[in-house]
Amino acid sequence: MRRRATKLDKIRWLIVYGNDFIQLLSLFAYYDLYIRWQAGVPLPFIVAGLVLMLVFNVLMTQPVRIAIRGGRRPTAILSVTGAITLLLSAFVVWWAIPTWLGMLVPFVRRRTVVIVSVASIAAVNLFVAVLVGLNLGVLLMQTLFTAIAVGTTMANLKLWSMAKEAHEGQETLAMLAVSEERLRFAGDLNDLLGQSLTDAGARIADAERVLRTDPARAAAEMFEVRDLTRRSLREVRSVVQNYRAIDLDEVLASVRAVLEAADVRCTVRAETGALTPETRTLLATVVREGATNVLKHSRAERCTITIENGVLEMSNDGVSGPPGEHAPNGLAGLAQRVRAAGGTLEGRPTDEGRYLLRAAVPA
C-alpha cells in the first residue's frame, strides 16, 4: 500500500507545480517565433529556435525541484539553459530570460539575482534600442515578467522553508511531550522509591550489624523492611495505574485533531459522562489504537466515532479490495484486555466498503 500523502507533501506539490505554471511565461517565445516566421524570417532559424525552446522547457522544471529536495546546484542544467537563453537573446527572443533568472534563485544570493535581473533588462533594451530604437513595450513586458518569475520563485522557496520548519516543529513538540511525560513518570518513581529504598537499606544494615549480638532486634528490623517493601510496592502499583489512566475526552479530541490534520474528516458522537474510570481508560486505548490503524493501514477520507452505553464503534472508508482480505491487525493484545474487563472487541470490514472497529465494555 502506498504511503499516505502528508500535508508537507501537498504543500511541496503546490509549490512545485505553481512554480512550473509561472515559468510557462517563456511559452510566449513560440508565438514570437511564429510572428517572425510570418514576417519572413528563414525557416531554418525558426526551427532552430523551436528546438532550443523545447530543450529549455524540458529542463526548466528541474532546478526548483532539486532545490526543494535539498540537492546540489544543477550546474549542467543551468549552464545549458543559460546558453540557450543567450542564443535566443541574440535574435531578440528574450522570453526565456525571466524564466532562467527564476531558475537561478535557489542557488545564488538574492542580491546577485537582483543585479543580474537589472543587468539583463538593461542589456536587452539597449540592444533593442540600437537596432530599432527604444521600445517601451519591450521594457515594460520584460520588467514585469522578470519581477513575476524571480519574485514568485523567491516567495515559493520562502513558503517551503516555513512549511518545513512548521512540520519539524510539530514533530519536535510531539517528541518533547513524550519525553516530558517520561520524565514526569521517572520523577514520580524516583520520589516514591528513593526514600523507601534508602530506609530499607539503612534497616538492613542495622539488622546485619546486630544479627549476632541481638537476633531478636535483627528480626524486628527485617520485619520492618518487609512491611516497607510491601507499602512501596502498593504505592508503585498505584502510580503505574494512574499513569496508565487516559482521559477519554482528551483522547477523542486529540484523535479528531490528528485525523483532520491528515485530511481524514472525523465525526465524533460520544456519551462519556456515565462511564466508569476503568471503562473510559479502556475505550480511550481502543480509540487511540483505531486511529493509529486508520493513519497507517488505510487511505481513509472519512472516519466516524460513536460511543453509547459503553459501546464504541469506530468506522472508516479506507477499505479497498474484497472484505476477506482484511483482518484486525495489531489488536490482539488489546482484545485480551477488553475481554479481561468483561467486554468484546472486533474489527472487520463491512459490506458497505468500510472498516468497523467495535468495542463493547460494561459501562
Side-chain angles (χ1 to χ4, degrees), residues 9 52 65 81 86 91 114 116 118 123 133 135 147 164 166 197 211-212 244 258 279 296 319 335-336 342 355:
D9 292 328
L52 290 175
R65 285 175 167 79
T81 53
L86 287 176
F91 295 95
V114 173
V116 174
V118 173
N135 189 322
K164 283 201 306 180
L197 292 177
L211 179 61
R212 292 183 179 180
R244 288 179 176 175
V258 169
T279 298
K296 289 185 176 181
V319 173
Q336 292 179 357
Y355 189 88

Side-chain angles (χ1 to χ4, degrees), residues 3-14:
R3 181 179 67 88
R4 290 178 55 87
T6 64
K7 275 193 170 182
L8 190 63
D9 292 328
K10 294 175 181 179
I11 293 174
R12 184 177 71 249
W13 297 338
L14 178 63

Side-chain angles (χ1 to χ4, degrees), residues 201-279:
R203 290 183 179 278
I204 292 173
D206 289 342
E208 183 181 9
R209 181 171 52 83
V210 301
L211 179 61
R212 292 183 179 180
T213 59
D214 192 351
R217 180 181 172 186
E221 292 286 355
M222 294 306 299
F223 281 123
E224 290 291 336
V225 170
R226 182 195 63 184
D227 294 338
L228 179 62
T229 55
R230 286 177 176 175
R231 288 197 303 271
S232 298
L233 181 59
R234 286 195 300 269
E235 291 173 350
V236 168
R237 286 174 175 171
S238 176
V239 169
V240 171
Q241 182 64 33
N242 292 332
Y243 180 75
R244 288 179 176 175
I246 307 173
D247 187 272
L248 178 57
D249 294 328
E250 289 184 2
V251 169
L252 288 171
S254 175
V255 162
R256 181 174 182 176
V258 169
L259 292 177
E260 293 281 356
D263 293 332
V264 180
R265 186 177 302 173
C266 184
T267 303
V268 177
R269 296 188 296 272
E271 299 177 3
T272 61
L275 300 177
T276 64
E278 293 78 10
T279 298

Side-chain angles (χ1 to χ4, degrees), residues 32-46:
D32 194 347
L33 291 171
Y34 172 75
I35 296 297
R36 292 169 186 267
W37 178 55
Q38 293 290 318
V41 175
L43 184 60
F45 289 99
I46 301 300

Side-chain angles (χ1 to χ4, degrees), residues 45 150 258 315 361:
F45 289 99
V150 173
V258 169
S315 65
V361 182

Side-chain angles (χ1 to χ4, degrees), residues 45-114:
F45 289 99
I46 301 300
V47 172
L50 291 173
V51 172
L52 290 175
M53 280 305 304
L54 285 173
V55 175
F56 183 88
N57 291 141
V58 170
L59 296 176
M60 72 180 186
T61 62
Q62 296 306 308
V64 170
R65 285 175 167 79
I66 293 172
I68 287 180
R69 290 198 303 266
R72 300 177 60 183
R73 181 171 59 189
T75 304
I77 293 177
L78 294 175
S79 300
V80 171
T81 53
I84 292 174
T85 302
L86 287 176
L87 287 172
L88 292 173
S89 300
F91 295 95
V92 201
V93 181
W94 57 267
W95 304 95
I97 297 177
T99 298
W100 185 75
L101 292 171
M103 294 162 60
L104 283 180
V105 168
F107 307 104
V108 299
R109 294 180 179 178
R110 183 176 302 179
R111 180 187 304 175
T112 303
V113 174
V114 173

